[in-house]
Structures are given as structure tokens and as C-alpha cells.
Amino acid sequence: MIRVDEKGFYGKFGGAYIPEMLYPNVEELKENYEAIMASEDFQKEFRSLLKDYVGRPTPLYLANRLSEKYGAKIYLKREDLCHTGAHKVNNTIGQILLAKRLGKKRIIAETGAGQHGVATATVCALMGMDCTVYMGEIDIARQRPNVERMKILGAKVVPATSGSKTLKDATNEAMRAWINNPVDTHYIIGSVVGPHPYPEMVARFQSVISEEIRWQLKEKEGRENPDIVIACVGGGSNAAGAFYHYYNTPEVRLVAAEAAGLGVSSGKSAATTALGTPGILHGSKTILMQTEDGQVVEPHSISAGLDYPGIGPVHAHLFDIGRGEFVAVEDKDAMAAGIELSRLEGIIPAIESAHAIYALNQIEYGKDDIIVINLSGRGDKDLETYIKWGGY
Amino acid sequence: MNRIHYLFNHKKERVLSIYFTAGFPNLEDTVSIMEAIQAGGADIIEIGVPYSDPVADGPTIQDSNKIALDNGMTMKLLFEQLIGFRAKIHLPVVLMGYLNPIIQFGMEEFCQKCKEVGVDGLIVPDLPMQQYLDEYKALFDQFGIVNTFLISPQTSEKRIREIDENTDGFIYMVSSHSITGAKAEISEEQITYFKRVEEMNLKNPRLIGFGISDSETFSTASKYSNGAIIGSAFIKVIKDSKNLSEDIQKYLKGVKAQ
């Protein structure tokens, strides 16, 4: 049975390894999130915003030409059609409603590609809350349009200038900001990482993805379970959402596509399960890329959203017990898959999601298999990277 | 007797603990900095084990961690440097480090090394009390290592009591809602918090850290506790120092002046 235990662990992974200064905040969240999320009032507001504001349910689209090319029945779960362009908003809607009920006045967040930052800035505008987003200096440079979107939405974007100047360091800065403002501030973590209860809470908000896949597939195919679900994994929030209702259905294969960067052995990679070992990162025990000495290794991926040296503890657990199949997709293959999907289906995917598309080349399946790929985001934000890459 | 217990048995007021990052400013400075801290009249030496992602630390200590790592500091090297330091240093020595490098080294081996070289205690900011009790307390006890917990203005009275109950050394009072090095002076609000904790009559002595930098802040903190810890301000002193021993002693003399 895959589920979080009362101490916040999935098997060997998870927990809350945090400085005492964050203990009251995390404890407050832990004590309250389940009751708040279960309340009728919360569910009503959450569901109504997902429907009317985010645009859910997102389509489950049978990609005919892609299916023909790969020789299987391939559906795309169109999270790219969510308001703001990615699945991230499912979680930010949930967390802002939670923050309101906890009486918080300010929101802080970290962001990699900027999708979570935009989704956070969006819900803060929606709820009239003050918003500060921490973003690595390098990501600010490569995701300019998202930086400007956050600013238009009224958020303050603060560059993280330490370490690798990417998502890991943005997360460090957000945690420091939370330590500095513990009383009135809620930290909206964007992935299934961080101290308990964040990984489980974020996964539950994202679990609407697999909840919908189940009934949509039932409508289309007469069965709730596909043979395979594929999703990309940086921290792993879209994957957690797409896998959530299938964790304990062993006949559904769960495939996680990590970013291999320039190649798993190139020294420029973010393929965490291939390169990582157990340790502690951002408040939870998980698998992370680190030196023998326990220093966190700076990752690389062309996709800012996957450029993270760890994975959420639930994914570490899926890997550990062999429930998930992990593949590593190189920059060049992801870019090619992004262009291929654009040509075959008229959908330009986010480079993150393109990793999941490429995974079709790395796993075994039969021609009658039903495969659902979680298309976590759209490629608008990556236009500059596509242009620089060329090849189309 | 552990040197930390001995210290607090004999000194209840104006205990001064000085933090520096091992491997900073230069790789081989560790023991000479310890000697200068002792010569300058401090009471506890706190050695930071550098880490790539020190989330509880502000920019000054982050930078010192990065420089130390770039210089090539590792846990293994630090323990090599510490072999034999007890011939020169009688002050209690505490290692401050984040949990991940310690568990990669191996907690048991780490505690054993601490005991071998003569380290008295540990501060692991991201090791929560429950995990400590569940997983590591037995090891710490076996090797006679004193563990130190932090409390902050947000820590509830109930939690402070639990921490006091599970501490046998001293309690590290974080002076405000902040990461290290953040504030310049001590506010009324902070003093209210210091008094509130003082009136709890805890069994352990308390040292106040974060935002302590000079004789004034040291004296104020000492009025409401058993003393204070200086980190970022000390890192700034040694950062550009041309004569570490002289500059450190001069700085400590200034801090201790009443």
C-alpha cells in the first residue's frame, strides 16, 4: 500500500527535517491541512475554482498521429490547457484557499521554470494577497516571459543568487524568507518536495489529474485503468498527480521521465534516480544528487522545471520498491520530441513535458496498450529555447 | 565530565561562544583560529561544517560555507585537522553542521570521531527533536556528545519545556524571526521574548544567538540569559583579516568590554 504514514514517510523517505524556526509553521499546517481540505466549504470553493477559473476538467485527448507513429493507443492529458499553461495552478489554488483559512496575509513561493511562480502570482491576484516569488538568477534569464507575467500579476520576483542560481537555490531562499516571516506568511511549495505535510498535500491537490483520467478513460475506453501512465519528474508534482489514483493499482505501469541533461554520465544532468543516493534535501529524506561528502550537486537540464537535484519522497519510494519505471531523457531527445509532437498533433509542449513524450522511445509496450502521457504544460514559455535550439 | 557541563557549572554569566566556518578564510586556518578565540577569552568554540545548502544561514555564513567548500574543506579533512587540538585548546568545542553531510559520513562514525578528537557537542539545526530522540540519542549518549536544540520566538511554551527536558547542555535561543546575521540591534519585542523564556526557569542554561555582533548586543543578551553566540559578525572580522590572531583577539576584547 503506497500512502504516507503519520510521521510523513513513504517507506524510508519523507519526514520533516527542518530548523526549529520552521517547526511552528509546519506543525500548524500539519495539524490543519487534512481537516481544512476535507471540509465541505473548502471542497466547494476548490472544485468551483478548478472548474470555472482553471478550466477543468482538462481534456483527455486521443493523439491519433502520435499513436500511429509509436504503435499504441496514446492519450494526452491536457494539463497544458489549464489557466496559466500548466498543471501547477491546481496546487496553488488549493494552497491559497488553505492559506486564507489559516489567516495568512502574505504568500511566498519558489519557482524554476516560472510556471509555479506564475500560478502562485495568479492566485494571489485572484485573492488579493501579497506575493513574493524566489527564482534563480539563471532561470530568470532563461524564462524572461514568465518573469514579466509574474510582475504584471503584481508579484515581486526576487533573484536567488547563491549556489547554482536555479530551482534548488530559489527553494533555499524561500525557506529563509519563511524563517524570517513565520507568523503571517504561507509558503506555497510548488512540488511534492519539502517537509511533511507538503509532499502529500501537493500530491492531493494534483491528484485531480488522475481522478479525471479515471472517469475520462472509462467514458472513452470503458475502463478506468490505462496500461501505462507517463509523466516527467523534476520534483515530481505533475507525476504525483497523474500517478496518485494508480499508486495501488499494480497493473498500471507508472513511468517517470527524468532529465538526463547532456547525458547521464556527462556531469551535466538532473537524472536523480540514476545518479542520486539517499539523503536529506529541503526538509525531507529522499534521493538526491550529492557528492560522497553529502554536498548537493548542481544539476543541469535544458528544462528549468526539471533542473532540480532531488525528487519528491513519494517518487524515491516508488523507485526504491520498483513500483515506478524511471527513464532518463537527454536535452536533445526532449527537444526533438517537442518538435515531433508539434508536427504530429499541433501541440507545442513545454520542454518538461517533452521529456515524457520522448520516454515512448525508452519503454516497452504492445500495440494494444493504452498509454496516458501527462502533458503537464504548454511550450509558450519555452519559445526562446526552441528558437535557439532550431532544428525545425 | 563533558567540558560543556564543566563550563556551565563554573560560569553562569556572560558566556561567550564564537562560531566560525571550518576552511574559511583559508583551508588550514582551523586550529589557529581556535587558538586565537581561546586567547581572546571566549568560552566556547563553535566550528561550522560547511554545507552547500545552509538554509538557516544568512548571506555572510552562506558565503563562508561556499568559500570553505571551494577551498576543499570536507568532513574527513576537518577531523584530520582536529587531531591533537586538545594539546592546545581547553575550551569546549561544538560542531555545527547540517544533517545531510553528517549522515553521509555516518552518524556513528561521526560521533566516534568527535569523541576521538575531543569535540564536546553538536548543533544540527535541521535535526528535529523527535528524529533525534528516535534515531540518534542513543549514539550521542554512547559517545558522550552533548546535543543542542534551537528555540525561536515562535516556539511554544510546551515545546520549550519538551526541548529543555531532552537537553543536557545548553539551549540555543534564536534571538528573532530570522536567519543568521540578519539584525543589527535588539528590539523591545525581542527583550520581551528573552524575559518570557528567562521566567520559565529552565533546567538548562541558555545562550542567545543570531544578530549578536558587539559589546552592546552581547551585554543585552547576557542580561537575560547565560550568554551569547556570535557568528556572522565574527566571520566578517576574519574574512579580510591580514593577521588572524591579532584581529580576533582585538575583536573579542571589544565584545567582552563592559
Side-chain angles (χ1 to χ4, degrees), chain A residues 243-271:
Chain A
F243 295 168
Y244 196 90
H245 291 287
Y246 297 118
Y247 282 154
N248 298 303
T249 312
E251 59 270 31
V252 179
R253 289 164 58 194
L254 307 177
V255 175
E258 294 184 320
L262 302 183
V264 171
S265 327
S266 66
K268 291 270 180 192
S269 177

Side-chain angles (χ1 to χ4, degrees), chain A residues 27-45:
Chain A
E27 194 67 11
E28 179 187 32
L29 206 55
K30 194 180 98 187
E31 293 297 314
N32 293 296
Y33 87 103
E34 284 182 309
I36 292 175
M37 279 176 73
S39 72
E40 201 179 316
D41 147 77
F42 177 92
Q43 280 300 326
K44 208 174 145 201
E45 197 175 357

Side-chain angles (χ1 to χ4, degrees), chain A residues 303-322:
Chain A
S303 138
L306 304 182
D307 202 350
Y308 185 69
I311 47 173
V314 70
H315 296 300
H317 181 54
L318 295 177
F319 176 77
D320 185 47
I321 63 172

Side-chain angles (χ1 to χ4, degrees), chain A residues 24-313:
Chain A
N25 299 39
V26 170
E27 194 67 11
E28 179 187 32
L29 206 55
K30 194 180 98 187
E31 293 297 314
N32 293 296
Y33 87 103
E34 284 182 309
I36 292 175
M37 279 176 73
S39 72
E40 201 179 316
D41 147 77
F42 177 92
Q43 280 300 326
K44 208 174 145 201
E45 197 175 357
F46 181 55
R47 294 285 163 175
S48 133
L49 283 170
L50 287 186
K51 179 167 177 282
D52 298 328
Y53 188 74
V54 175
R56 304 204 71 94
T58 58
L60 184 68
Y61 162 70
L62 176 59
N64 278 308
R65 298 188 67 209
L66 190 71
S67 297
E68 203 177 308
K69 156 124 207 235
Y70 284 95
K73 205 165 190 185
I74 303 170
Y75 283 91
L76 301 177
K77 179 60 174 162
R78 299 290 309 275
E79 292 301 297
D80 61 315
L81 295 177
C82 287
H83 177 45
T84 73
H87 71 290
K88 291 288 185 188
V89 71
N90 302 326
N91 169 47
T92 60
I93 293 267
Q95 286 204 47
I96 198 123
L97 296 181
L98 194 66
K100 258 176 58 180
R101 281 159 178 79
L102 291 170
K104 305 292 177 178
K105 305 275 181 272
R106 277 184 78 238
I107 297 295
I108 54 172
E110 86 295 334
T111 197
Q115 287 304 109
H116 173 59
V118 167
T120 304
T122 298
V123 297
C124 286
L126 179 68
M127 296 293 164
M129 280 168 96
D130 185 78
C131 179
T132 304
V133 178
Y134 296 85
M135 186 170 187
E137 210 171 40
I138 288 178
D139 292 336
I140 287 181
R142 63 179 165 177
Q143 303 286 344
R144 198 80 226 169
N146 270 348
V147 175
E148 298 308 320
R149 285 166 84 193
M150 286 185 265
K151 289 183 182 166
I152 290 170
L153 291 161
K156 191 174 158 208
V157 180
V158 178
T161 57
S162 58
S164 57
K165 304 180 176 63
T166 59
L167 180 53
K168 157 181 95 81
D169 310 283
T171 308
N172 290 340
E173 285 311 319
M175 286 184 138
R176 289 179 186 124
W178 207 20
I179 291 174
N180 286 336
N181 300 282
V183 183
D184 65 342
T185 301
H186 176 69
Y187 175 18
I188 300 190
I189 294 185
S191 193
V192 288
V193 303
H196 177 65
Y198 276 103
E200 181 61 18
M201 186 174 75
V202 175
R204 284 197 204 172
F205 288 135
Q206 292 294 359
S207 71
V208 66
I209 299 172
S210 48
E211 183 187 307
E212 288 174 6
I213 295 173
R214 273 167 66 164
W215 65 255
Q216 289 172 319
L217 204 62
K218 177 92 180 166
E219 268 182 19
K220 290 176 196 293
E221 297 285 342
R223 55 191 256 204
E224 289 185 334
N225 299 338
D227 296 290
I228 303 171
V229 181
I230 307 177
C232 65
V233 173
S237 71
N238 91 79
F243 295 168
Y244 196 90
H245 291 287
Y246 297 118
Y247 282 154
N248 298 303
T249 312
E251 59 270 31
V252 179
R253 289 164 58 194
L254 307 177
V255 175
E258 294 184 320
L262 302 183
V264 171
S265 327
S266 66
K268 291 270 180 192
S269 177
T272 304
T273 58
L275 298 167
T277 48
I280 288 163
L281 180 67
H282 294 141
S284 60
K285 199 173 268 181
T286 187
I287 295 172
L288 67 139
M289 289 163 48
Q290 55 183 328
T291 65
E292 219 178 291
D293 214 33
Q295 308 297 342
V296 182
V297 166
E298 297 182 0
H300 166 83
S301 166
I302 193 165
S303 138
L306 304 182
D307 202 350
Y308 185 69
I311 47 173

Side-chain angles (χ1 to χ4, degrees), chain B residues 84-103:
Chain B
F85 86 87
R86 278 295 168 207
K88 299 169 184 164
I89 306 289
H90 61 263
L91 295 187
V93 171
V94 174
L95 293 191
M96 183 276 180
Y98 289 82
L99 187 55
N100 194 52
I102 298 174
I103 60 177

Side-chain angles (χ1 to χ4, degrees), chain B residues 151-206:
Chain B
I151 63 171
S152 84
Q154 285 304 107
T155 311
S156 68
E157 175 166 350
K158 178 168 172 274
R159 177 95 175 156
I160 294 174
R161 297 263 177 229
E162 282 169 15
I163 284 172
D164 189 40
E165 195 52 45
N166 290 301
T167 297
D168 181 24
F170 66 94
I171 289 173
Y172 191 139
M173 278 180 73
V174 175
S175 67
S176 64
H177 310 306
S178 79
I179 49 178
T180 54
K183 303 273 174 3
E185 46 189 49
I186 293 174
S187 67
E188 279 305 311
E189 191 190 348
Q190 286 173 280
I191 289 177
T192 310
Y193 152 64
F194 298 162
K195 282 185 181 160
R196 171 166 64 84
V197 178
E198 189 180 25
E199 282 161 11
M200 287 177 69
N201 292 314
L202 302 178
K203 72 180 170 86
N204 287 283
R206 290 154 289 120

